[in-house]
Every structure is written in structure tokens, then in C-alpha cells.
Amino acid sequence: MEEKELEMAEAGENTEGGKEEITEGEFAEEAAEPSVPPYARRGKGIRISGPMLYENSFTITQEVYQEFLKASMGRYRKLYYLIGAVSFILGVFSFLGGTGPSALLFFVITVLCIFLPANTYRSSKKKKYTQQVEKNGGKPLERRVVFYMSGLEVFSNNGAHSVFRYGDITRIVESKSLYVLVVQKKLSLLVLKDSFTKGTLEEWKTFMNKKGLWKVK
């Protein structure tokens, strides 16, 4: 399992006409144990303009973070469960074929594939959230995600600020109360379903479905 980390860079600068140019930060993160970082200043050379279409504002509470973590790890859990199911079937055939050691090995793999994802989630959900709060000076992260026709901006209460093109979004994962927008295959951007301060969830979904190949349900 992998773990995501992100570091802040320097501040961006506002320009006239509602346009924004942001200096680029560096980040490194891993996938299976994601974090919600204080987005580094990214988007060098990216300019966005026009009126604000949608705005999503929220605080990343422990409950929000846990749901994000579970949603992000979903595809890895499915892969583990698939491997576990195959190992179980092979174990049954090995046992019926009289090869006890092979059957035992397959059954051990099955058990690991079932319990390893669950154990990783339990051990990570509080630890990772605590680390995020500590990095933010002991306060939960507050986020404001603003959508324009040509791109989106992310503001955090620690001063971090990023801008992205819609083409940077490679995948969108849905959970009960939020969406995880995976940017450039490694950065996670949250949008909470009940936290639109401008526009509505249904309007935003229709808008996003016109912006990429992904499907927002």
C-alpha cells in the first residue's frame, strides 16, 4: 500500500480580469493510503477567467477524511478481494487434489487479502487525519473549491492556493456524501455533495459531465 504526502510552495499572484497565475509547487504522494494535503501552489502558466459558476466550501472533519480515505482505497480493496477469491478457489482445488501444502498457502493468501485492507484502513484513518491537522497548525483544513468555465481553483485556510484545468482530472470517485476528483492521477481533490454555496449539486454534475470523459453520477 502506498501513502500520499504533499508540501506547500510559494504564494501565487492575482491579476486583473478575474485571471489567476499560480507558481508551481512540488509534491509526492502514494495511492493506497491517501492524504488530503494543503494543496501546494500549482498551475504555472494556467489562466482562468470569467464568472464563478459553482463554489463548494467545507471543513475537512475527521468524518469527512475517513470517508475520503475509504473511497480512495476502494479500488485497492476490490483488487485484494479478487485476488483472495481466486486464491480461495485454487486452495479448494488443491485440497481436493490432495496437495495439502499448496492448499494451505492459497488459504493463507486468501486470509491476508481479506484482512490486510481492513487493517490498513483502521490503522490509517485516525493517524493520517491527526497528521493533517498538525500540519495545519492544529486546526482542521477548510477548503473552498471554485469552478469556472475554463478551470477550477482551490483555496485553503492555511493560505495554500492552486489552479487546475479540467483536463488534469483523470478520474472521479463517488462515495455517500462526497466526490474525489483525482488530478493528474495522484492528487485528490474533494467536493462535498451538501456544501455548494453557489450553484446546486445537480447543476454541477451536469456541468462536469460536459468537461471530461468521466461520468459523475
Side-chain angles (χ1 to χ4, degrees), residues 68-82:
F68 154 71
L69 183 66
K70 190 173 183 179
S72 298
M73 294 177 66
R75 60 174 176 167
Y76 299 99
R77 291 202 311 273
K78 291 178 182 178
L79 178 61
Y80 271 87
Y81 294 158
L82 177 60

Side-chain angles (χ1 to χ4, degrees), residues 6 11-12 19 27 29 35 39 61 71 121 123 135 166 178 210:
L6 186 74
K19 296 182 179 179
F27 67 89
E29 57 178 32
S35 63
Y39 297 100
T61 63
Y121 170 69
S123 62
K135 290 178 181 178
Y166 291 108
L178 57 83
K210 297 177 181 178

